[in-house]
Amino acid sequence: MTAAPTAPAAATGPDPAPDAVPAIELRDLTRSFPGPPEVQALKGVNVSVADGEYVAITGPSGSGKSTMLNILGLLDRPTVGEYRLGGVLTGTLTEDQRAAVRARQLGFVFQAFHLMSRRTVLENVLLPMLYSGTPRAQREPRAREALQRVGLDHRVDFLPGTLSGGERQRVAVARAVATRPRVLLADEPTGNLDQATSGEIMALFEELHADGLTLVVITHDEGVARRASRRIRLADGRVSPAA
Amino acid sequence: MRVPRSMRGRPGRRVGTGLLPGRRAGTGLLARLPLPRRTGRGASAPDLLVDPADRFRFTDLLGEATADIGSRPGRLVTTIIGTVLGIAALIATIGFAQTAAAQIARQFDTVAATQLVVTPATARTGGGQTVATAALPWDAVARMERLAGVESAALLAEVSLPTATITAVPVNDPSQAPVAAPPVYAASAELLDALGGRLSTGRFFDAGHDERADRVAVLGARAATRLGVERVDQQPSIFVDGIAYTVVGVVDGLDARAELLDAVLLPTGTARADLGLGAPGDVQARIAIGAGPQLRDQAARALAPDAPDTLEVRAPDGRSQLRQDVQADVNGVFVVLSVVVLLAGGVGIANVTMLSVVERVGEIGLRRAVGATGRQIAGQFVAESMVIGLLGGLIGASLGVFAVVAIALARDWTPVVSPWVTVGGALLGALLGLVAGGLPARRAAQIEPVDALRGGT
């Protein structure tokens, strides 16, 4: 915790390059939901995440965490402000281009796993590669590699329903990293897991981080947030100095 | 899973090389974004970075659409039942019409559609009698056979013998009740061929018998029974007005002019010599199918070039016209009925697909999050309902064919169903699914990914 830099604007990853373009850059970002009464979920947020950084976004419920993740994941558009992903302004992209960016640059891990119950573990991991344009010959090797990476290579032909919660979340992580995204976005990844399996998932995240993946984890669990290299605290739609 | 740092790139430097053909998608891909200045190309711009073979193609769409199709058999059955019934009813209706048309047309084809008859025109005299106004030439057979489309022609004339007795024994038995004599016809040797007849025993007389006016006769099967002639190997005779004729054969089946089975047939030359036959009565010809309309004109001109109007030619109409008439009669109401059932089937598919969209909101959200476009989501639901419709169409078409076969078997008919009708039935099912899936697919594409993910899986 003490090693984590606290200034949001200073992009100091493990390997900061002087001219590095931050992986994620939010500038004066506001998202309001039309009322009445109009609700401002995010108010003038400035956040920058460098390539290879491991960031936890924390805050009480209603603080704008989920809105933030939706915007970071290009699932929602900001009302005002700029969002640059890898230096490219996302506001001008069409819906189809945003879908293509999601497919190739972003990986998602959800609280509720979102696995397809009638597909095997391997098929679930293969799913995003349908849309990401991964060369066909590489798809299955990559999926198996990703499953091996999360320690589930002995479960490839199982259905998600037969797996434990921790195993399901590891399948979801494998699915998210199989397309080799630039940024992994995790929304309360341990929310449905007990203490022990949470620890497994967090250890997995740390390994991925050590491999150079950029991670943004949204959580209200302080224990989870503490393991990130930097914490961003949201309160009432604003970034507050980390505790 | 270890991603080498060198491959993760610096986007600021890479963008210039992003479109070079030598670079494969997938290596430097994760470090590149579609640049705003390329957005002028519209939605296809990001795809420029991906090898066309690796894009989301139609085969992928079909794969996704069919992957889960059998996972809920009960629902699948209820979804397709309307389509199955509609297509089956439609195929059965059309197939039944085709079978019936083929059945009727077959009878017409072999008899009426290939038979042409030329008779002299008749007029009524002042006394109320009907007399012929012209006579056919004796060489009518040779003239007819020169015409294209005539396969065989023969002369046939009824010989009027009002008082003659015809018996198989030369004894006049006064105690026996007088019986009506069988009719006597004079015919040329080609008659059997022209009428498509079959002999039960013996042979037909030939042109030699005709020229020499030999006293030979061929009996119709029923006339032979009446006269007690059953075998011809012992050369039985019959007596017509006391003159003995050797029976050379018995005819037991004719495709046309079945009344000849009751008659005694003599060669034309014999009838002219012995019974005073004045002129041939009519010309009977077997023609190629479809030649009727042309031969109607040609036959009259060939037989009476100076006055073709004095001859009456009865020739069949073209075959297609006949089939169309028969088919149009049978279809009508049932087609309308099947279409109504089919529409109900389409509404069924639309309903279940709509339900499925609502149920699978989580899946839609997931697919959108991992990069599916709205169009790809819509395409998937359309493809799913199309596959369901095709399945219903296939099952319905098979059921329809079985129904036609069953009906045909029950009536001892030959089942006839055009293969294009069954293929069309299956495709119609697919089309129905395509149309029915349209609205739910639109709905699915319009669901916001954020809302969809909140729905859970």
Side-chain angles (χ1 to χ4, degrees):
Chain A
M1 188 51 226
T2 47
T6 47
T12 50
D15 181 20
D19 61 340
V21 177
I24 287 171
E25 193 174 13
L26 303 182
R27 199 170 290 166
D28 295 331
L29 190 124
T30 298
R31 175 71 170 104
S32 54
F33 295 97
E38 190 182 278
V39 178
Q40 284 201 329
L42 294 174
K43 299 167 186 166
V45 171
N46 285 294
V47 169
S48 178
V49 177
D51 247 343
E53 219 181 344
Y54 180 2
V55 176
I57 296 176
T58 60
S61 59
S63 61
K65 292 192 309 278
S66 294
T67 308
M68 176 100 148
L69 183 98
N70 289 337
I71 286 173
L72 289 178
L74 292 175
L75 298 169
D76 196 5
R77 289 173 187 263
T79 316
V80 183
E82 284 180 4
Y83 168 28
R84 287 173 190 271
L85 183 60
V88 175
L89 205 57
T90 58
T92 54
L93 300 178
T94 65
E95 272 306 315
D96 284 359
Q97 285 170 329
R98 289 160 68 89
V101 172
R102 284 200 296 271
R104 289 171 217 156
Q105 311 235 353
L106 299 174
F108 289 91
V109 175
F110 305 100
Q111 178 178 5
F113 318 136
H114 280 286
L115 298 175
M116 292 175 69
S117 57
R118 294 191 192 93
R119 307 281 179 96
T120 65
V121 164
L122 183 66
E123 286 166 342
N124 266 290
V125 177
L126 281 168
L127 182 75
M129 287 193 260
L130 264 182
Y131 304 104
S132 67
T134 308
R136 277 166 205 278
Q138 295 180 26
R139 289 181 188 179
E140 198 173 324
R142 278 201 199 178
R144 288 185 184 277
E145 186 193 341
L147 282 169
Q148 197 174 4
R149 184 74 191 74
V150 301
L152 283 177
D153 42 342
H154 59 298
R155 293 271 193 266
V156 284
D157 293 324
F158 282 51
L159 289 177
T162 63
L163 303 180
S164 71
E167 284 174 322
R168 287 187 212 182
Q169 194 60 299
R170 281 193 277 161
V171 174
V173 172
R175 180 180 64 193
V177 297
T179 55
R180 302 188 180 165
R182 183 191 189 96
V183 177
L184 183 74
L185 299 172
D187 183 9
E188 300 279 6
T190 57
N192 285 6
L193 302 178
D194 59 34
Q195 204 77 43
T197 42
S198 292
E200 283 175 32
I201 296 295
M202 294 326 294
L204 184 57
F205 278 2
E206 273 159 21
E207 286 172 37
L208 293 170
H209 174 230
D211 288 348
L213 189 68
T214 311
L215 279 124
V216 176
V217 177
I218 286 189
T219 182
H220 65 267
D221 184 339
E222 281 300 321
V224 170
R226 249 194 302 276
R227 300 178 71 159
S229 53
R230 179 156 68 97
R231 281 202 283 169
I232 295 170
R233 203 178 152 72
L234 280 180
D236 195 23
R238 293 178 204 278
V239 176
S240 65
Chain B
M1 217 21 248
R2 188 166 291 270
V3 183
R5 188 144 280 276
S6 62
M7 283 171 70
R8 305 192 59 251
R10 297 286 179 268
R13 298 174 197 153
R14 281 270 171 85
V15 287
T17 61
L19 285 175
L20 285 184
R23 290 187 52 83
R24 299 291 298 176
T27 52
L29 180 72
L30 56 134
R32 253 177 293 135
L33 262 179
L35 284 182
R37 64 181 144 94
R38 278 192 217 128
T39 57
R41 306 269 189 115
S44 66
D47 281 344
L48 289 175
L49 299 165
V50 177
D51 190 307
D54 300 324
R55 288 184 200 155
F56 188 80
R57 286 189 304 187
F58 186 64
T59 45
D60 296 320
L61 183 69
L62 280 187
E64 286 303 294
T66 51
D68 298 328
I69 204 160
S71 58
R72 304 179 74 171
R75 171 176 292 192
L76 184 65
V77 167
T78 49
T79 311
I80 65 174
I81 193 104
T83 316
V84 168
L85 289 179
I87 296 281
L90 201 61
I91 298 290
T93 306
I94 296 173
F96 181 68
Q98 282 183 336
T99 301
Q103 187 66 22
I104 297 164
R106 181 168 298 118
Q107 288 166 348
F108 277 111
D109 285 350
T110 48
V111 186
T114 59
Q115 289 293 324
L116 176 140
V117 183
V118 186
T119 49
T122 54
R124 245 165 221 286
T125 61
Q129 279 182 312
T130 308
V131 296
T133 57
L136 287 167
W138 286 108
D139 63 346
V141 170
R143 292 195 200 186
M144 282 296 287
E145 284 185 341
R146 279 199 290 271
L147 297 177
V150 174
E151 288 172 356
S152 175
L155 286 175
L156 186 66
E158 184 167 8
V159 184
S160 178
L161 297 169
T163 58
T165 57
I166 298 171
T167 62
V169 285
V171 180
N172 188 6
D173 182 359
S175 66
Q176 208 170 25
V179 286
V184 176
Y185 279 88
S188 60
E190 303 84 357
L191 186 77
L192 200 64
D193 186 26
L195 294 183
R198 288 163 299 280
L199 291 163
S200 65
T201 180
R203 53 168 294 193
F204 208 76
F205 45 76
D206 57 29
H209 294 130
D210 200 340
E211 274 173 36
R212 293 187 300 273
D214 286 344
R215 286 182 171 158
V216 293
V218 171
L219 302 182
R222 288 197 290 271
T225 311
R226 275 173 62 187
L227 294 169
V229 178
E230 270 158 29
R231 301 168 57 176
V232 296
D233 49 359
Q234 289 174 332
Q235 299 188 319
S237 291
I238 57 161
F239 298 86
V240 178
D241 255 356
I243 304 170
Y245 294 87
T246 306
V247 177
V248 294
V250 175
V251 179
D252 78 338
L254 288 167
D255 287 339
R257 304 290 296 250
E259 74 268 25
L260 294 182
L261 294 179
D262 284 315
V264 174
L265 298 172
L266 302 179
T268 316
T270 314
R272 286 168 75 185
D274 291 352
L275 305 173
L277 180 67
D282 46 22
V283 173
Q284 191 83 36
R286 183 160 58 81
I287 61 169
I289 291 171
Q294 292 89 324
L295 284 175
R296 189 175 301 158
D297 283 346
Q298 294 173 0
R301 284 177 203 286
L303 297 179
D306 51 338
D309 292 344
T310 60
L311 297 181
E312 258 179 35
V313 182
R314 272 177 285 141
D317 287 324
R319 176 184 187 170
S320 53
Q321 200 182 332
L322 173 83
R323 275 181 189 272
Q324 277 166 9
D325 290 351
V326 172
Q327 212 153 335
D329 287 346
V330 186
N331 286 340
V333 178
F334 279 105
V335 169
V336 172
L337 217 65
S338 335
V339 167
V340 170
V341 176
L342 204 56
L343 286 180
V347 173
I349 293 183
N351 271 332
V352 177
T353 310
M354 196 65 102
L355 186 67
S356 154
V357 167
V358 174
E359 281 180 352
R360 286 161 63 188
V361 156
E363 183 195 326
I364 294 170
L366 170 72
R367 284 179 188 271
R368 291 299 298 271
V370 300
T373 64
R375 237 173 316 116
Q376 284 163 344
I377 296 291
Q380 188 185 336
F381 279 95
V382 168
E384 278 179 28
S385 71
M386 198 175 95
V387 168
I388 287 173
L390 180 67
L391 205 61
L394 280 173
I395 297 172
S398 338
L399 284 182
V401 170
F402 277 120
V404 170
V405 170
I407 292 170
L409 280 181
R411 301 206 178 180
D412 219 5
W413 287 1
T414 310
V416 176
V417 182
S418 158
W420 295 115
V421 169
T422 52
V423 171
L427 290 183
L428 186 65
L431 183 73
L432 191 73
L434 187 78
V435 174
L439 196 66
R442 255 179 82 93
R443 174 75 64 85
Q446 282 167 353
I447 296 177
E448 286 295 325
V450 174
D451 301 333
L453 283 169
R454 215 174 285 139
T457 325

